Amino acid sequence: MRIVFVFLFVAGLAAVGAITARAQDNAGQQAVATIIQNQLNAMAAGDRAKAYSYAAPFIQQKFQNPDIFMEMVTRGYAPLIAPQAVEFQRFEASGGLATQAVMLVARDGSAWMATYFMQQMEDGSWRIAGCQLEKLPGGAV
């Protein structure tokens, strides 16, 4: 009888741990999606400083001010500026790093997959540490 109780207790703890991990993943995914959406909104509004504020510190060091940052975005990541549609997809997190896949339709109607690389800061907030952009086959949507 005691073995059954110990087994049920351990199984219960494992279930609580799995639920807690899922809740943390959901909270992390929501926080990451909010940061990405906020940056997309800032870029669409032309708010360079706000868009820049969501970048990880090493990105801010590389692109030393909001104007330089937005020049880089305009040249290499134009589909991210005022997309017609945004859909958050696959999310993966491990430790203080995460990836978030985002399918979007650019202003010109072309379809893209953006994979965002996220870094968690010491205060628990998330920042964008990079983005890989891939045009989806099939042309315009």
Side-chain angles (χ1 to χ4, degrees):
M1 181 69 159
R2 186 171 190 196
I3 292 173
V4 171
F5 175 75
V6 169
F7 174 77
L8 290 174
F9 180 74
V10 169
L13 285 178
V16 168
I19 291 168
T20 302
R22 244 189 322 254
Q24 289 172 342
D25 281 350
N26 288 343
Q29 183 174 15
Q30 183 59 44
V32 163
T34 298
I35 293 300
I36 293 168
Q37 188 63 62
N38 287 347
Q39 187 182 58
L40 291 171
N41 293 344
M43 289 190 291
D47 190 339
R48 294 169 176 237
K50 189 76 164 171
Y52 182 72
S53 74
Y54 297 110
F58 77 93
I59 297 289
Q60 291 180 352
Q61 288 172 352
K62 184 173 182 177
F63 303 100
Q64 300 168 349
N65 64 55
D67 292 330
I68 295 170
F69 174 77
M70 282 307 299
E71 182 178 326
M72 175 273 299
V73 172
T74 301
R75 288 184 180 186
Y77 299 87
L80 300 179
I81 301 171
Q84 295 179 34
V86 175
E87 181 182 314
F88 289 86
Q89 298 194 338
R90 182 185 72 257
F91 173 79
E92 295 178 15
S94 178
L97 303 174
T99 58
Q100 174 68 63
V102 181
M103 188 165 39
L104 54 93
V105 177
R107 290 178 295 193
D108 67 0
S110 58
W112 296 82
M113 181 62 70
T115 302
Y116 282 86
F117 304 98
M118 306 297 294
Q119 180 182 9
Q120 194 168 31
M121 302 291 101
E122 288 183 16
D123 67 0
S125 66
W126 290 91
R127 297 274 190 94
I128 299 169
C131 181
Q132 179 180 349
L133 199 55
E134 178 183 349
K135 188 170 187 178
L136 297 176
V141 174

